[in-house]
Amino acid sequence: MKLPRIAIAALITAAAVLAPVSAATAATAGSGGAGSDADGLQQQIDAVLAEFPGGVQTGPDEVSWQDGAVVLNLAPEGQLAARSVGSCATGAHCVYSGVGLSGSKLTFSTCSTQSVAPLGAPVASIANARSVVVRAYNSVGVVGSVSANSSASTSSWGVTKVGC
């Protein structure tokens, strides 16, 4: 199932709304005792599901849409696990909230141009584990590209969509 154009526009618009929710969640996650990271992560997932209908929680840190064609992996705030192009499955491309392929990750297994809004943060890096070029877009148009089997730092690009 493809997201309708209005849903994609809503996802892009909602990114601005979701960023403050993530910051509030981070404050909550860091303030409790044992289990607070898990509670904070669940709050992030709940916020994403509320903002982006049609998603399904498929793991303790994962939400997916379109029967798994789009997958968001959330990292607990302050616990940004390093990622490499190898962590982005062959045949997919991934966007990350952190530089150097770190932080929360949104994975795309289809090549259609799609919103990165569910990531809930500016796209700071992109991994391309495909055999084709992945293009990054902002509201004006193409702002950069990532060659096959490589990655790029994109924090200054203002990425709102990716596709190949």
Side-chain angles (χ1 to χ4, degrees):
M1 163 177 120
K2 241 182 173 182
L3 288 176
R5 287 180 191 252
I6 193 145
I8 292 172
L11 290 175
I12 292 168
T13 303
V17 174
L18 187 57
V21 171
S22 294
T25 301
T28 302
S31 64
S36 64
D37 285 342
D39 293 342
L41 193 55
Q42 186 60 51
Q43 288 176 352
Q44 286 180 312
I45 287 175
D46 293 344
V48 168
L49 289 170
E51 290 293 326
F52 306 102
V56 175
Q57 184 171 357
T58 53
D61 66 345
E62 184 176 279
V63 177
S64 70
W65 292 265
Q66 302 175 9
D67 295 324
V70 177
V71 178
L72 172 64
N73 294 100
L74 292 168
E77 295 295 327
Q79 223 177 5
L80 302 177
R83 306 270 187 191
S84 68
V85 173
S87 75
C88 189
T90 301
H93 57 283
C94 306
V95 295
Y96 297 83
S97 63
V99 296
L101 308 179
S102 65
S104 297
K105 174 177 78 169
L106 185 59
T107 303
F108 299 93
S109 61
T110 62
C111 241
S112 61
T113 302
Q114 299 207 24
S115 170
V116 298
L119 187 61
V123 173
S125 51
I126 298 175
N128 178 6
R130 295 181 176 279
S131 59
V132 298
V133 172
V134 169
R135 289 178 182 73
Y137 303 84
N138 67 13
S139 59
V140 177
V142 176
V143 292
S145 61
V146 182
S147 300
N149 298 312
S150 66
S151 64
S153 175
T154 61
S155 54
S156 64
W157 295 3
V159 176
T160 58
K161 298 184 288 185
V162 291
C164 41

